Amino acid sequence: MATAEELINSARDRMVKSVEHARAEFATVRTGRASASLLDRIEVDYYGTQTPLRQLSTINVPEPRMLTVQPFDPSSIKAIEKAVQESDLGLTPSNDGKIIRLPIPQLTEERRKELVKVARQMAEDGRVAVRNVRRDVMHHLKELVDKGEVGSDEEHRAEERVQKLTDDHTHKIDDLLKRKEEEILEV
């Protein structure tokens, strides 16, 4: 059975992963600038298999408002275009047979507000993940107390430390959200 210290260390690791996951999710939300990470969530139907776009092509940012996608296999160009059009990014691809160009249009005020909502939902998902880690640890601490392996004083101290960890990690997610919102709303 794990000790209170091991539970706290495990919780810290899992909360750090939740924050990192939230950071990665935020990177996929479109802002006014072109970024190769915008295309991270796009999967292409490549010979009947859903394959991440990154594995099928080279993605470049030649200028601030343009992305280029150069497929390794030129025959996959139509499937890549289709996947980009069906995504929620609102981008219109054009190709010359070798390279797909994705101009990044200016965001409208309405689209900015939608993207802020998307970012807020991602942040909430991250906070929920952190709170779920806390709930698991609290449950395991109660089990340790019930089995008599940990005293109630030690349980109380451990719960305070887990709560502090939870607060720290939810604040990190809130900070990430604040920066992402500023980035989205920046004209």
Side-chain angles (χ1 to χ4, degrees), residues 136-169:
D136 290 350
V137 171
M138 296 295 198
H139 175 75
H140 290 301
L141 283 169
K142 291 265 183 274
E143 285 178 351
L144 288 176
V145 170
D146 293 345
K147 290 181 180 169
E149 294 178 28
V150 171
S152 61
D153 286 351
E154 190 179 341
E155 176 203 19
H156 187 68
R157 280 193 300 274
E159 283 178 355
E160 284 178 356
R161 287 177 59 198
V162 170
Q163 185 58 50
K164 183 171 176 2
L165 276 176
T166 304
D167 294 343
D168 291 348
H169 287 84

Side-chain angles (χ1 to χ4, degrees), residues 34 59-69 99-102:
I59 300 168
N60 290 309
V61 185
E63 49 194 78
R65 297 201 158 285
M66 175 75 69
L67 287 172
T68 59
V69 179
I99 291 181
I100 298 172
R101 285 181 178 69
L102 298 168

Side-chain angles (χ1 to χ4, degrees), residues 91-107:
L91 300 177
T92 310
S94 64
N95 82 68
D96 61 8
K98 291 186 180 77
I99 291 181
I100 298 172
R101 285 181 178 69
L102 298 168
I104 309 288
Q106 276 283 42
L107 292 172

Side-chain angles (χ1 to χ4, degrees), residues 13-33:
D13 294 344
R14 290 168 58 201
M15 287 180 185
V16 166
K17 286 181 182 148
S18 296
V19 171
E20 284 310 310
H21 180 75
R23 184 186 318 268
E25 284 291 300
F26 285 147
T28 66
V29 175
R30 200 177 126 204
T31 59
R33 277 183 241 104

